[in-house]
């Protein structure tokens, strides 16, 4: 869930939300840092074999809790909206008596950016960067604390500011750096894009076809690789495919 306390790892109703498979995980770490730690550990352990890795940071979803500011023991069970129900108990909006600040929002985003840097560094450390396809994208536009200009509106709307997001691909062995494509794409296109270079892929079967939006790209530029990684989140990358709004993880 996106709405999770970054320090207690609880949802709005107080239930634990951090699991490894079906086993609850307890850790004192800031959630963004814990996701980064586990992603880097995965790469370290699996670097000798092909792998697929999706890193789904919940930052910068509300509650807007910056790193290095854990709640006191007395405040650990305090929620922004105690009268609400479910995840809405964690919601923070611009009309709150003491609204969250853009400074806190930026610190959260910078922590996710630093995490992405650590993940890319792990690929470098194992000499995997050249042959690894890295994808950065997002599920919606920025929150009310972000700036989506020149796009209109924000997350939770059907305006461009709500649904138009970054899509950045980096694959040094196959994709040229610094190129921008005007090709319209949707997140579901990535399934075929990732399957296309995979050994023994069912990509060509009737059960899995590349969409019209990405078919030429799949056939022309993505043919073979030994490893692929799907990363959500970085903003620093080689190829920008589709104009981007301000990133929001």
């Amino acid at each position: 869930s996106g709405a999770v306390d970054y320090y207690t790892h609880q949802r709005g109703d107080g239930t634990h939300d951090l699991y490894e498979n079906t086993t609850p995980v307890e850790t004192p770490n800031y959630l963004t840092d814990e996701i980064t730690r586990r992603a880097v550990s995965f790469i370290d352990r699996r670097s000798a074999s092909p792998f697929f890795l999706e890193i789904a940071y919940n930052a910068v979803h509300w509650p807007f809790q910056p790193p290095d500011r854990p709640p006191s023991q007395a405040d650990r069970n305090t929620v922004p909206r105690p009268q609400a129900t479910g995840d809405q108990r964690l919601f923070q909006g611009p009309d709150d008596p003491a609204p969250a600040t853009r400074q806190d929002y930026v610190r959260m985003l910078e922590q996710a950016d630093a995490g992405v840097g650590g993940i890319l560094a792990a690929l470098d450390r194992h000499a995997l960067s050249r042959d690894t396809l890295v994808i950065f994208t997002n599920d919606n536009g920025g929150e009310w604390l972000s700036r989506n200009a020149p796009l209109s509106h924000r997350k939770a709307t059907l305006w461009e500011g709500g649904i138009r997001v970054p899509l950045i691909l980096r694959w040094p062995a196959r994709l040229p750096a610094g190129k921008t494509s005007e090709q319209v794409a949707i997140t579901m296109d990535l399934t075929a894009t990732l399957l296309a270079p995979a050994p023994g892929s069912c990509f060509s079967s009737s059960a899995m076809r590349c969409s019209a939006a990405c078919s030429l790209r799949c056939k022309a530029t993505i043919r073979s690789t030994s490893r692929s990684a799907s990363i959500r989140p970085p903003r620093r990358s080689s190829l920008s495919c589709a104009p981007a709004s301000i990133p929001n993880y």
Side-chain angles (χ1 to χ4, degrees), residues 37 39-48 122-123 125-126:
R37 185 188 71 79
V40 170
S41 175
F42 179 91
I43 294 171
D44 289 342
R45 288 182 284 109
R46 296 293 301 273
S47 62
L123 294 176
R125 187 166 61 254
H126 293 286

Side-chain angles (χ1 to χ4, degrees), residues 95-143:
D95 299 327
D96 290 350
T101 67
R102 181 171 168 81
Q103 181 180 14
D104 288 344
Y105 190 80
V106 168
R107 289 179 63 200
M108 294 171 68
L109 186 56
E110 288 177 341
Q111 197 75 0
D113 280 347
V116 170
I119 293 164
L120 296 181
L123 294 176
D124 287 342
R125 187 166 61 254
H126 293 286
L128 301 178
S129 295
R130 176 175 169 76
D131 294 315
T132 300
L133 171 60
V134 176
I135 300 174
F136 160 59
T137 190
N138 189 36
D139 56 351
N140 48 247
E143 275 280 3

